[in-house]
Amino acid sequence: MFGWKFKTPRINYRTSESSGAYNGGLEVATHGLVAGTRVASMMGWRGVESLAKGDMVLTFDNGMQEITDIHRVTICLDAPETDQALWPVLVPPNALGNKEKLTLLPDQGVMLECEAASDVHGDPFAVVAAKALVGERGIHRSPPNTRIELIAVSFAEDQVIYAEGGALILCLSSTTTLDRLLDGSQSAYEVLSHDDAIRLVECFAMELTDREDLGCPAMAHTL
């Protein structure tokens, strides 16, 4: 399976209803969706900011799942000296099956469908950090110049959800590394190493370009 749907457990650094400077904010906020991003829920496509604990969200592998926790972080993106490695990643429409522009944190997990992965390990789905996508299909970083609200949705187990029509976004559970060491549990998803992710993303972009040249629809997961 490429080993790619098993994610190495790590502590999720999240703060409820907090705010701070951009540098400090992104050092602890590793994932979450920007307010205004629509996700597929039992109530249809809803802005992630309108979701609450107990709501049901459509997941890629496990159907409708209940939100068990939700955290909101406000980050000020107005520090011109911020290291470029911390800049958000902007995904233009249709780059990942998304109908609208997506703004993602650099370390946000994104699931890709790529035949190259299937050819090697029998599973066409793999999770990469958003920063590995930069430079392909118009995906780029944006310098910080505003304030954003991030919403981190959690479930009982790690899940992949649908955002903006077809992008597949990894949502980590609130379980910490220590918890998993104690109970022996594992996540169902693994985020690829940087080098593996770069190679996969190159194959992913080439596959989509070839399909588009042949007049075939992109590998989007639309609902």
Side-chain angles (χ1 to χ4, degrees):
M1 295 172 54
F2 233 126
W4 289 0
K5 287 184 67 177
F6 291 88
K7 178 187 150 316
T8 303
R10 60 183 172 82
I11 297 175
N12 305 327
Y13 297 98
R14 295 177 296 185
T15 306
S16 178
E17 302 292 347
S18 65
S19 61
Y22 185 84
N23 283 332
L26 280 192
E27 286 174 358
V28 297
T30 60
H31 75 288
L33 291 172
V34 174
T37 303
R38 296 175 304 157
V39 302
S41 75
M42 183 169 284
M43 299 170 286
W45 289 99
R46 298 288 300 275
V48 66
E49 74 280 1
S50 69
L51 298 175
K53 185 176 178 180
D55 287 345
M56 303 294 288
V57 171
L58 182 62
T59 68
F60 180 71
D61 285 309
N62 300 298
M64 290 291 177
Q65 292 291 313
E66 181 180 349
I67 295 174
T68 57
D69 205 1
I70 188 164
H71 291 257
R72 302 173 189 273
V73 182
T74 300
I75 300 176
C76 299
L77 308 182
D78 55 1
E81 70 280 5
T82 298
D83 191 311
Q84 187 172 345
L86 297 176
W87 290 6
V89 174
L90 297 189
V91 182
N94 303 313
L96 299 175
N98 50 304
K99 295 180 179 179
E100 302 292 338
K101 181 179 71 174
L102 279 173
T103 301
L104 301 174
L105 293 178
D107 290 320
Q108 172 63 56
V110 179
M111 180 181 278
L112 305 180
E113 180 181 4
C114 181
E115 290 305 318
S118 182
D119 292 343
V120 176
H121 291 282
D123 188 342
F125 296 100
V127 179
V128 303
K131 60 189 176 186
L133 298 162
V134 173
E136 300 290 352
R137 300 185 64 78
I139 298 171
H140 63 283
R141 290 183 183 272
S142 174
N145 56 14
T146 186
R147 175 180 297 189
I148 62 173
E149 181 183 18
L150 295 169
I151 292 88
V153 174
S154 298
F155 304 87
E157 303 291 341
D158 293 353
Q159 301 289 348
V160 171
I161 66 172
Y162 295 85
E164 293 296 355
L168 298 173
I169 304 297
L170 176 63
C171 292
L172 301 178
S173 72
S174 55
T175 304
T176 67
T177 300
L178 178 59
D179 294 330
R180 285 174 170 156
L181 287 174
L182 292 175
D183 64 21
S185 64
Q186 279 190 319
S187 172
Y189 304 96
E190 177 183 359
V191 178
L192 292 186
S193 69
H194 180 70
D195 289 344
D196 285 344
I198 292 297
R199 288 193 290 268
L200 178 74
V201 169
E202 290 175 352
C203 292
F204 170 76
M206 287 189 292
E207 287 180 17
L208 289 190
T209 299
D210 289 344
R211 289 172 62 87
E212 290 166 355
D213 288 344
L214 293 172
C216 300
M219 290 182 288
H221 299 271
T222 54
L223 300 175

